[in-house]
Amino acid sequence: MTEEKTVARRAFLKGGIGASIGAGLGVASLAAEAASPKARKATRTANYDTVVLGAGCAGLCCAIEAHDRGGKVVVLEKMGRPDGNTIYSSGRFAGVGSREQAGLNESVDAFVKDMMHLSHGFGDPDLLRAYAELSGPTIDWVKDLGVPLRLVKNLPAPSSSRCFFLSGPGITGGSVLIRQLLKAAEQRKIPVHYDTKAFDLITNERRHVTGVHAMTEAGPVDYLARGGVVLATGGFSANPELVNAYMGGWATRLAVRGSRTTTGENILMTKPLHALLVNMDQFYAGPIIPETHANPARIANSAYGIIISREGRRFLDENLEQAPRSRRIAQLTTDNRSFIIVDAKTDREDNILTKLLKKFARLNSPVYQANSIEELARAAGLPAETTVATVAEYNGAVASQSTAKLHPPISRKAPHALDTAPFYAIPMSGGIAATFGGPKIDTVARVIDFERRPIPGLYAAGNAAGGVWYDADIGGNQLGSAAVFGRLAARDSVARAQKA
Amino acid sequence: MKHLTQFILGLGVCLGISLSCAAAAPSDLLATHTAKGVACAQCHAEKKSQKAVNTSTCLTCHGSHEALAAKTKAKDPNPHFTHMGDMNCKECHNIHKPSVNQCATCHTIPMQVP
């Protein structure tokens, strides 16, 4: 190394640390610390092309792609193993144009149109197109990594023939995915540094991102990135302060589904760089039983039963989509508690009642059963008189085909009366899963700033990225787009490192 | 105060002799490891280390996550094959303090964790 280069490198390091963001310390004191021999010894530095934060679907796909494109990549995971939302997810991938879909009538245009429709027009058509175009090749790529994705054809729209499923023996599909992605990373000797928490971004004097300050069990490490830092840290569903700030106090009553360590590093790390944070109030909600984490979704989404509060009264249209229905349980009840009341006829829909009872028994999650509504109410701790009246009013409306006139109305086309014993009361609360808000990205996963310019060296993918999703999506969109934008971030950051 | 000083001194002596005195209620694993003649230093390579050992240390004797999963395959759910992935042993198993049923942090799944 020449004298000039050594000096330049020192200046770079010093400038980088001096310009560090959000450390809560004065720039002068940090610069002084960096200059002292003790601090130089204390903070180690490590050099890479791409530094990926988070070992979930987006982060691992990013790392594998970066490696395969010739990049030197490292994954930093703050927990002792992957603990983002992926391992808790059912493991669905949505996409079009894969090998297995050849000959099926599934186009990028129709896929984008359906996703835009679900977002009520608030989705970003360019981002959705970028995802859609690479979705099929990415599904092939994930399968070639050994992930056993299976296409299920002819599902009801908008899933249609676009959804690939994963399942494992007694584990979630998302866990199958992570196990296989970790194997693929291991085969490539991609380092995954666990118990390594990135706290803040390192920038140069031009505010380009050049690395991250991280804390490891052995002390502080500055991971420097020639190409870029990719935030694949997930969203902020498990950070009650951010949930309160962006969604409101009611949302803190939602049970946290999935990871309890998705705490908003995507927001906290990028905000000081004037990243454009968008869709901050948006998230995916789903049903859950807080004490057992059993999930009554299949029955809640069926054409059977009514949903009542602890006061024994209906309070929403049972026919709402899963996400808005689950949100309303927290919004409209004082305790985020409700019961689905169903009868024995519910099994006519694919034996969903028998399946649920079996699943709930395995998780020791209570379901109340009785031969009359009055006994059922008493068993579940509901006010008997009100509950009986609510069910009688509902049954009367079904008989007179006037459920659309109930308060609140039910928009189901063919509601079923609650008349066949035994009757069941299934507890259900609302839960928060993936948050959709975050730093807005462009079509190659670069984070953009207030002036709509990409911040050089900063990328986001998966739930860490904002601007892709709004309100509702197609099952499998989250993992599918996490993989796609993870790969796009890898491609751009490795190319940038190779040019540097 | 005198008693406290004696206690601290006593504790210090105790720690010097055996780390097992450091915590009030060891898990079952202390007895099973001791019965098999496993010496402190076999797990705690560093002298006087009171840190939980790494999973890789446990696996030098216990094989692999796959081997552990096979051993407990009769349990439902299998505590060594869950959606959490290959967990670090110390997330559930302790030696010098009571072990923890991590499943129960989210689910109502009874699990006797040795």
Side-chain angles (χ1 to χ4, degrees):
Chain A
M1 191 181 270
T2 65
E3 178 66 20
E4 194 184 308
K5 272 186 183 165
T6 311
V7 172
R9 185 178 142 74
R10 274 194 197 137
F12 164 72
L13 270 176
K14 198 173 160 184
I17 293 163
S20 73
I21 302 301
L25 286 168
V27 167
S29 73
L30 269 174
E33 256 184 57
S36 80
K38 197 181 166 189
R40 271 207 300 275
K41 196 182 166 192
T43 303
R44 292 191 295 116
T45 56
N47 291 282
Y48 294 92
D49 294 332
T50 303
V51 174
V52 183
L53 311 184
C57 176
L60 291 173
C61 287
C62 176
I64 292 164
E65 177 80 8
H67 172 275
D68 290 358
R69 291 201 167 233
K72 187 185 173 196
V73 60
V74 65
V75 181
L76 312 186
E77 167 58 52
K78 68 173 177 175
M79 302 306 290
R81 56 182 159 72
D83 192 43
N85 267 332
T86 308
I87 59 167
Y88 300 91
S89 75
S90 60
R92 265 186 285 172
F93 262 70
V96 295
S98 72
R99 292 187 298 254
E100 211 177 330
Q101 289 162 301
L104 297 171
N105 191 23
E106 294 292 354
S107 71
V108 165
D109 286 347
F111 192 41
V112 172
K113 192 181 164 201
D114 283 355
M115 292 185 290
M116 278 302 289
H117 176 72
L118 285 166
S119 78
H120 309 292
F122 292 109
D124 182 318
D126 294 338
L127 291 179
L128 292 174
R129 182 162 292 277
Y131 155 49
E133 281 173 352
L134 198 59
S135 64
T138 295
I139 284 164
D140 292 336
W141 179 82
V142 167
K143 284 166 79 170
D144 291 343
L145 292 173
V147 179
L149 288 172
R150 288 178 296 105
L151 175 65
V152 177
K153 294 176 196 169
N154 304 317
L155 291 168
S159 293
S160 310
S161 297
R162 300 161 172 167
C163 289
F164 291 75
F165 288 71
L166 273 174
S167 59
I171 62 173
T172 58
S175 185
V176 175
L177 173 68
I178 288 292
R179 283 164 189 269
Q180 200 56 38
L181 291 178
L182 280 178
K183 272 185 202 162
E186 199 178 330
Q187 282 162 5
R188 289 164 172 78
K189 299 187 168 50
I190 295 170
V192 182
H193 293 183
Y194 293 107
D195 295 309
T196 300
K197 182 172 159 88
F199 275 86
D200 32 39
L201 296 165
I202 303 171
T203 56
N204 65 13
E205 64 283 356
R206 298 181 65 200
R207 300 271 171 162
H208 297 180
V209 173
T210 56
V212 285
H213 293 303
M215 190 57 73
T216 74
E217 284 188 325
V221 180
D222 286 346
Y223 287 88
L224 303 180
R226 275 180 293 270
V229 173
V230 183
L231 294 171
T233 51
F236 58 91
S237 50
N239 184 325
E241 188 249 339
L242 292 179
V243 168
N244 175 60
Y246 292 114
M247 288 119 182
W250 68 270
T252 61
R253 291 201 293 275
L254 291 159
V256 175
R257 299 166 97 216
S259 175
R260 295 187 303 167
T261 54
T262 48
T263 41
E265 285 83 344
N266 60 330
I267 311 301
L268 302 174
M269 291 174 76
T270 64
K271 206 173 168 179
L273 285 176
H274 292 194
L276 186 69
L277 302 179
V278 295
N279 301 355
M280 296 305 290
D281 64 332
Q282 296 295 307
F283 65 96
Y284 196 77
I288 193 163
I289 286 97
E291 291 74 21
T292 62
H293 280 224
N295 184 346
R298 189 63 187 82
I299 284 191
N301 295 341
S302 78
Y304 288 85
I306 60 169
I307 297 166
I308 61 173
S309 69
R310 287 243 249 219
E311 290 78 39
R313 294 192 177 90
R314 289 185 53 250
F315 60 95
L316 48 63
D317 177 1
E318 283 79 353
N319 200 35
L320 284 169
E321 291 290 327
Q322 172 161 304
R325 188 201 310 123
S326 303
R327 279 199 296 269
R328 276 172 177 71
I329 300 172
Q331 283 170 328
L332 301 176
T333 70
T334 52
D335 53 3
N336 187 26
R337 298 276 172 176
S338 72
F339 289 88
I340 316 169
I341 308 294
V342 290
D343 68 354
K345 292 200 305 294
T346 309
D347 255 345
R348 288 181 190 169
E349 191 174 314
D350 195 27
N351 284 317
I352 55 174
L353 179 61
T354 303
K355 285 178 187 170
L356 178 133
L357 293 173
K358 195 179 159 196
K359 190 172 84 174
F360 275 47
R362 183 174 181 247
L363 291 167
N364 297 296
S365 199
V367 173
Y368 304 95
Q369 180 187 340
N371 285 320
S372 73
I373 295 294
E374 192 178 344
E375 286 171 52
L376 183 70
R378 290 192 207 291
L382 289 161
E385 205 176 311
T386 314
T387 306
V388 168
T390 298
V391 171
E393 189 190 12
Y394 167 74
N395 283 343
V398 173
S400 62
Q401 298 185 343
S402 59
T403 50
K405 289 178 187 156
L406 286 168
H407 297 284
I410 298 177
S411 61
R412 276 180 191 145
K413 281 178 191 151
H416 304 277
L418 290 162
D419 56 11
T420 311
F423 301 98
Y424 299 85
I426 305 160
M428 175 166 71
S429 299
I432 179 169
T435 52
F436 294 159
K440 177 121 167 68
I441 55 169
D442 68 7
T443 54
V444 293
R446 297 179 297 190
V447 170
I448 67 167
D449 67 9
F450 291 165
E451 290 74 36
R452 273 62 171 181
R453 291 178 302 219
I455 298 171
L458 185 60
Y459 301 82
N463 287 152
V468 191
W469 304 109
Y470 194 97
D471 196 54
D473 65 355
I474 301 172
N477 274 164
Q478 298 301 310
L479 289 179
S481 64
V484 165
F485 286 111
R487 295 181 74 202
L488 288 169
R491 291 178 185 184
D492 201 75
S493 64
V494 169
R496 193 168 172 267
Q498 286 164 352
K499 271 185 240 155
Chain B
M1 191 67 207
K2 191 183 165 194
H3 291 293
L4 184 66
T5 312
Q6 279 177 346
F7 172 76
I8 292 167
L9 280 172
L11 191 67
V13 170
C14 182
L15 275 171
I17 296 165
S18 164
L19 282 169
S20 66
C21 297
S27 77
D28 299 346
L29 295 184
L30 184 61
T32 55
H33 282 80
T34 310
K36 289 195 191 291
V38 180
C40 301
Q42 274 177 264
C43 302
H44 299 284
E46 302 156 44
K47 280 179 188 171
K48 293 182 186 173
S49 172
Q50 288 189 56
K51 279 169 73 177
V53 301
N54 288 329
T55 296
S56 56
T57 308
C58 304
L59 295 182
T60 53
C61 294
H62 293 280
S64 61
H65 280 98
E66 289 75 29
L68 288 163
K71 201 175 166 185
T72 53
K73 68 177 181 205
K75 290 186 190 293
D76 180 31
N78 184 344
H80 293 118
F81 189 80
T82 76
H83 69 95
M84 304 299 277
D86 290 341
M87 295 178 78
N88 287 305
C89 303
K90 64 187 175 189
E91 289 185 70
C92 299
H93 298 290
N94 290 312
I95 303 270
H96 304 289
K97 59 183 179 182
S99 290
V100 179
N101 175 7
Q102 281 294 347
C103 297
T105 53
C106 292
H107 305 290
T108 312
I109 298 175
M111 197 69 75
Q112 291 292 323
V113 188

